[in-house]
Amino acid sequence: MIKTIAIVIVVALAATLGYAATRPDTFRVQRTISIKAPPEKILAQVNNFHDWSNWSPYEKMDPAMKRTFSGAASGPGAVYAWDGNGDAGAGRMEIKEASPSKTVIKLDFSKPFEASNVAEFSVDTQGDSSSVTWAMYGPAPYISKVMGLFFNMDSMIGKDFEAGLANLKTVAEK
């Protein structure tokens, strides 16, 4: 009986790990909102890391978080590093590209786990409003594929993006 239970557990574990290996090698999470403001007003908030405290939900995860700003004051070359509690983690962001309709940020996490991704903010003008998309994408290593079987990253990160975009809307529409 114990031998049968052990075999069933091993087969189930092997099937789970095998299924995880078939999952995509990349991930993408994105959310979009309509903001009644011009792209330059919206992206000004994104391109200056000092302004993220006005709208980013991640800034409120740890009020005692250590923040370091370096490089350019805003736009390409601007760098923001943080070291916070278990919720905030630690990492570094650098703006790699900033145009009138898009900002691309290299995003490197060091805690709670190491990962390198890209965050992208894009803005499309639609009449007197702007459609703003916040996306994050990058590689999905095997451990992420396994974790993805039990945790829905799109739902977890997506909630933060929705909150951040709502905050950005409030700030930009003032």
Side-chain angles (χ1 to χ4, degrees):
M1 176 72 150
I2 292 177
K3 185 176 178 181
T4 303
I5 292 172
I7 290 171
V8 168
I9 290 172
V10 168
V11 168
L13 182 61
T16 301
L17 295 175
Y19 176 67
T22 68
R23 300 191 39 99
D25 292 330
T26 60
F27 79 95
R28 182 179 182 93
V29 175
Q30 72 178 42
R31 294 295 187 272
T32 302
I33 195 169
S34 180
I35 299 177
K36 288 189 182 230
E40 58 272 10
K41 187 171 183 184
I42 297 163
L43 290 176
Q45 288 290 317
V46 173
N47 290 332
N48 185 338
F49 288 132
H50 296 275
D51 290 339
W52 281 48
S53 61
N54 298 330
W55 60 270
S56 174
Y58 300 111
E59 289 294 315
K60 293 167 185 43
M61 288 184 168
D62 178 8
M65 183 167 49
K66 293 181 208 159
R67 298 166 177 85
T68 306
F69 301 93
S70 60
S74 67
V79 175
Y80 171 53
W82 74 95
D83 189 2
N85 63 21
D87 292 332
R92 179 183 188 276
M93 296 189 290
E94 180 177 355
I95 298 177
K96 299 306 252 179
E97 176 187 333
S99 72
S101 62
K102 181 168 65 171
T103 298
V104 178
I105 301 169
K106 183 178 185 291
L107 178 58
D108 295 313
F109 297 98
S110 55
K111 286 190 310 190
F113 52 85
E114 290 189 17
S116 292
N117 300 312
V118 174
E120 184 177 291
F121 292 83
S122 57
V123 182
D124 288 321
T125 305
Q126 299 174 337
D128 66 343
S129 293
S130 297
S131 177
V132 181
T133 300
W134 183 359
M136 183 171 72
Y137 52 90
Y142 183 70
I143 190 68
S144 294
K145 294 177 187 186
V146 172
M147 287 173 45
L149 297 175
F150 305 100
F151 303 102
N152 186 323
M153 192 157 97
D154 185 83
S155 294
M156 290 180 355
I157 296 172
K159 289 177 190 172
D160 293 337
F161 284 12
E162 289 166 8
L165 287 170
N167 294 342
L168 185 58
K169 177 181 176 89
T170 299
V171 169
E173 289 182 350
K174 283 185 181 177

